[in-house]
Amino acid sequence: MLESSETCTAQVSETNSGAALAAAKCLRLWARIERALKRRRDRRNAVSTLELQEQLESRGQLPSMTVAISLENVSFAYRTQPVVQNVSLEIPQHSLLALIGPNGSGKTTLLRLMSKVLQPQHGQISLDGQPLQRFAARDLARKLAVISSEQHFEFPFSVENVVSMGRFPHRNRLERMRSHDWNVVEDAMDKTDVLQFRHRPISQLSSGEKQRVLVARAIAQQPSILMLDEPNAHLDINHQIAVFKLLRLLNRQHRMTIIVVLHDLSAAAALCETIVLLHRGRIVRIGTPAEVITPELIRQTYGAEVVVFPSPVGGCPQVAFDTMHEPAGP
Amino acid sequence: MTEAGSKSSSPAQNLGILAAATAAAAILALLLGPVGLPDRNIFFNVRLPRVLLGLLVGSGLAASGAAFQGVLRNPLADPFILGTSSAATVGVILANLLGWHSYYGVYFMALGAAFASIAFVYRIAQTDGRAPIQTMVLSGVIVSLFLNALVFVFFSIFFRESFTLLFYLLGTLTSGDSRLIVISGTIICIGLGVVWLLARELNALTQGEETAFHLGIEVETMKMILFVAASSMAAAAVAVAGMIGFVGLVVPHMMRLVVGPDHRYLIPASAMGGASILLLTDAAARSLIPPVEIPVGALTALLGAPYFLYLLKRRKDAGEF
């Protein structure tokens, strides 16, 4: 009797461990599948960095790692309408660069090409010396954070939740947020001064506060490059100043490469060291604010009469509208 | 343990409460019915399969709705809006017309039609390699109207006398066929697992597709997997219980109030919430007017539509539209 009950328990525990074993097997199988998929992706995506380096070295053309992004003869058209035409550009690491140009000049499209949202029909874009198309989404997200103008707040995620989404590319699927991840998130919220409403739903914040939360999420990604599409759109002047100060801090102290599309020429001149002026999908001029923001170039590209004067703060060029003088002629 | 930080335990606790509520609803549904205390035969052959079916169909529909809402970033989306359920119904009817009465035939047609309609809707909405949300929802509505019309054309030509089919079309949990329950249950459980594993991707997708891509998500692939998983769940529910509306639409809304928008909690919460609501509605449907049984799909629509209007009004008042 005793014996049989014991065998019974033994059997029960056996089936229990059997189930546990089966579960463990399933998990292991899943992990193997994921590893296999990753290997396949890697193989398809890339000659490894090392190999590439070796190849290039043997050919004596080691890419200078000081270039963050380079574009070679890049062209892009929506259907048949060309938007970016034959653009070549090298963006050094740690630069703070503005893309400006009139509406439809292709500055947002250029930003989307550089962030792999769009693929160029011609030409080559490289990130840290490697062709952009070889990056899987996740690898790209560890190097590059983007705050696009497409923003959705339909669901009431808390600020903290939104910022911790920046840790997605650094974790595996079922991996939890580690204390390191939390520190990064905390730090990002601190830098952008959003800690005081960390538990509020992002949908309830003002647009300036929302923008800061998105910058916090981008910082939490710990990227080496940050791209922003008109971060000051719809912001009051105080929020604009706060965002710009933050971008400067990230560029100076954290050596982040920052590429920003701006509408406001004075803001671009005040914020950035380098300005790229686009017109009809081509680069018209690259240079310092003083070289690019001149009445002649602005007349040529925007078709507007403006007065440019040095800012009383720092001396960078500022733009004033000239609405006093009628153009000469009938 | 969670990404909600200091409020960490609360969504998990709420999930526990929901699980208890679901169990209570199941027990209540087992006890309620036209026969007060059922005998052994009724209990095991009628009541139990029906409650199991309610659990499966309710959770499948609600989880499918939550997934569609997340992918489409549209709190008003669900398998019905996108035409998935109507397509699955057409599939089931076609399988019957073609004489494919085997289980494989029915499920093959239901799932096939659901995938085809989602692919079609997606294809229609796609421009320049992307499918904008608004066009997708709009084309979904059109496709579902077309397919519903088709269902009733088939019905009036081939099945005019079939009251069972009419009842099925209106949505009902009366199918006591254990194999249907097993097959649908398997599909729904797999679908739930897949969608829950992709909860993180769903969270990222709610922030916009470009943003999700910049957060490291392979957007198009993930969207495909989520669409297939969500429409499989909807098709499996339709194959066994017909078109039960509003569960997929309303339940995720209610659950967002309980556990918040994070899909790691929202998916299981919707599954449990959908199950308990469908069970309770079904219990009401069969015991409100004793000899008569109302199709549960009609009752969910009667209850769901006003709640939905209330949601619309609240959002409008809050200026969110």
Side-chain angles (χ1 to χ4, degrees):
Chain A
M1 200 59 208
L2 195 79
E3 225 175 9
S4 77
S5 83
E6 260 176 15
T7 40
C8 210
T9 4
Q11 266 170 358
V12 166
S13 68
E14 214 165 73
T15 45
N16 269 345
S17 66
L21 225 73
K25 260 187 196 157
C26 281
L27 277 178
R28 240 176 287 147
L29 189 69
W30 173 256
R32 261 179 64 190
I33 292 171
E34 272 205 327
R35 271 204 304 276
L37 283 176
K38 190 178 179 313
R39 269 203 302 277
R40 224 188 97 205
R41 208 167 52 215
D42 287 350
R43 228 177 298 139
R44 202 180 46 205
N45 281 340
V47 200
S48 73
T49 325
L50 212 71
E51 260 174 80
L52 196 79
Q53 205 95 345
E54 276 167 9
Q55 274 178 20
L56 290 169
E57 253 169 328
S58 66
R59 273 188 273 153
Q61 40 176 252
L62 186 70
S64 130
M65 287 306 277
T66 52
V67 176
I69 295 181
S70 75
L71 293 88
E72 263 175 73
N73 304 322
V74 170
S75 298
F76 179 83
Y78 285 109
R79 303 261 159 88
T80 53
Q81 201 199 353
V83 186
V84 169
Q85 298 183 59
N86 216 16
V87 166
S88 294
L89 177 64
E90 282 202 341
I91 301 175
Q93 270 180 354
H94 315 311
S95 51
L96 179 48
L97 178 138
L99 296 173
I100 62 168
N103 288 334
S105 59
K107 48 193 192 301
T108 296
T109 305
L110 196 61
L111 198 76
R112 296 172 83 196
L113 284 166
M114 289 193 286
S115 57
K116 205 179 170 239
V117 173
L118 300 173
Q119 268 75 47
Q121 279 111 2
H122 299 288
Q124 176 74 53
I125 303 175
S126 309
L127 180 71
D128 284 349
Q130 284 205 62
L132 192 61
Q133 69 264 28
R134 288 199 182 156
F135 282 88
R138 189 175 161 190
D139 301 331
L140 191 63
R142 293 185 191 197
K143 278 188 187 292
L144 172 71
V146 182
I147 300 173
S148 65
S149 51
E150 172 223 50
Q151 289 167 9
H152 291 276
F153 308 105
E154 286 91 350
F155 294 95
F157 280 97
S158 72
V159 166
E160 197 174 65
N161 264 327
V162 172
V163 177
S164 50
M165 284 181 194
R167 300 306 295 163
F168 279 1
H170 295 275
R171 283 183 299 145
N172 283 323
R173 182 171 311 289
L174 296 174
E175 210 175 318
R176 291 172 178 173
M177 292 276 285
R178 294 168 197 284
S179 62
H180 167 70
D181 294 310
W182 276 118
N183 291 341
V184 173
V185 168
E186 201 87 1
D187 183 52
M189 289 195 289
D190 185 37
K191 277 207 186 75
T192 49
D193 198 21
V194 298
L195 270 173
Q196 75 266 26
F197 34 76
R198 61 190 297 173
H199 296 307
R200 289 205 12 224
I202 189 168
S203 39
Q204 287 177 9
L205 303 182
S206 75
S207 40
E209 291 162 342
K210 275 178 189 154
Q211 196 68 45
R212 266 151 57 203
V213 174
L214 297 186
V215 175
R217 185 183 65 202
I219 295 174
Q221 265 176 269
Q222 295 184 303
S224 52
I225 305 170
L226 175 61
M227 296 183 185
L228 306 96
D229 192 355
E230 294 200 36
N232 58 338
H234 319 299
L235 293 193
D236 288 338
I237 187 114
N238 52 334
H239 290 310
Q240 288 195 36
I241 292 172
V243 168
F244 287 155
K245 271 189 175 162
L246 187 63
L247 292 183
R248 271 213 164 183
L249 179 91
L250 291 173
N251 177 247
R252 297 272 153 80
Q253 281 184 14
H254 300 267
R255 313 297 289 147
M256 237 183 240
T257 309
I258 296 181
I259 300 163
V260 50
V261 166
L262 285 172
H263 232 79
D264 184 337
L265 301 178
S266 303
L271 175 71
C272 297
E273 300 145 354
T274 315
I275 292 185
V276 175
L277 175 62
L278 288 156
H279 184 46
R280 295 194 180 137
R282 296 175 193 277
I283 294 178
V284 177
R285 185 70 58 91
I286 307 172
T288 62
E291 288 165 357
V292 178
I293 304 210
T294 61
E296 297 76 42
L297 276 175
I298 288 173
R299 190 182 316 114
Q300 272 176 34
T301 53
Y302 287 80
E305 294 296 332
V306 295
V307 179
V308 176
F309 60 97
S311 159
V313 192
C316 61
Q318 296 292 292
V319 175
F321 308 134
D322 185 1
T323 49
M324 291 295 145
H325 302 91
E326 288 296 318
Chain B
M1 124 144 226
T2 74
E3 297 190 1
S6 62
K7 295 192 296 180
S8 63
S9 65
S10 87
Q13 273 170 3
N14 289 343
L15 273 190
I17 296 170
L18 266 173
T22 312
I27 292 168
L28 196 69
L30 279 173
L31 296 177
L32 270 177
V35 189
L37 265 179
D39 62 28
R40 225 186 148 77
N41 185 27
I42 293 186
F43 185 84
F44 282 106
N45 291 328
V46 181
R47 228 27 98 65
L48 193 62
R50 190 162 182 162
V51 167
L52 271 178
L53 195 55
L55 276 169
L56 289 170
V57 169
S59 54
L61 285 175
S64 167
F68 275 130
Q69 290 176 10
V71 180
L72 297 178
R73 277 191 308 291
N74 188 330
L76 308 182
D78 90 323
F80 290 80
I81 298 276
L82 295 171
T84 317
S85 298
S86 313
T89 312
V90 171
V92 170
I93 289 183
L94 278 180
N96 275 306
L97 281 178
L98 293 170
W100 296 0
H101 294 296
S102 72
Y103 294 99
Y104 297 114
V106 170
Y107 279 94
F108 178 76
M109 290 301 283
L111 286 154
F115 296 159
S117 88
I118 266 291
F120 179 75
V121 166
Y122 190 75
R123 194 70 190 269
I124 289 276
Q126 209 172 28
T127 40
D128 293 323
R130 293 154 37 80
I133 301 312
Q134 294 87 340
T135 29
M136 180 126 189
V137 168
L138 198 61
S139 52
V141 170
I142 302 293
V143 166
S144 96
L145 283 176
F146 177 80
L147 292 174
N148 280 341
L150 204 60
V151 165
F152 280 96
V153 168
F154 281 140
F155 180 73
S156 47
I157 297 175
F158 298 104
F159 307 100
R160 225 175 321 168
E161 273 87 53
S162 173
F163 189 70
T164 328
L165 185 67
L166 181 62
F167 222 71
Y168 165 78
L169 288 180
L170 291 169
T172 175
L173 298 176
T174 45
S175 161
D177 190 328
S178 59
R179 279 195 66 186
L180 276 183
I181 298 177
V182 169
I183 300 174
S184 280
T186 313
I187 295 173
I188 286 171
C189 287
I190 293 173
L192 261 174
V194 169
V195 170
W196 187 70
L197 272 176
L198 296 182
R200 212 173 68 152
E201 276 76 2
L202 273 171
N203 284 346
L205 282 167
T206 60
Q207 304 298 298
E209 287 181 20
E210 274 184 36
T211 303
F213 173 69
H214 296 314
L215 289 172
I217 310 289
E218 301 284 358
V219 173
E220 294 302 320
T221 318
M222 289 306 151
K223 260 167 60 183
M224 271 306 162
I225 298 175
L226 284 164
F227 278 138
V228 166
S231 48
S232 303
M233 285 193 281
V238 165
V240 69
M243 293 216 268
I244 297 177
F246 285 94
V247 175
L249 197 59
V250 168
V251 171
H253 274 270
M254 297 167 71
M255 291 306 124
R256 267 186 214 105
L257 300 178
V258 180
V259 295
D262 188 338
H263 287 84
R264 287 171 313 157
Y265 302 109
L266 184 63
I267 296 295
S270 294
M272 291 192 276
S276 24
I277 280 176
L278 192 59
L279 282 175
L280 293 178
T281 320
D282 185 52
R286 63 177 188 254
S287 46
L288 272 181
I289 316 166
V292 183
E293 184 169 331
I294 310 167
V296 69
L299 205 58
T300 55
L302 280 178
L303 294 172
Y307 181 77
F308 187 70
L309 284 179
Y310 158 75
L311 277 178
L312 267 182
K313 183 174 174 344
R314 223 189 44 182
R315 286 177 70 94
K316 200 179 69 181
D317 292 346
E320 286 178 52
F321 275 130

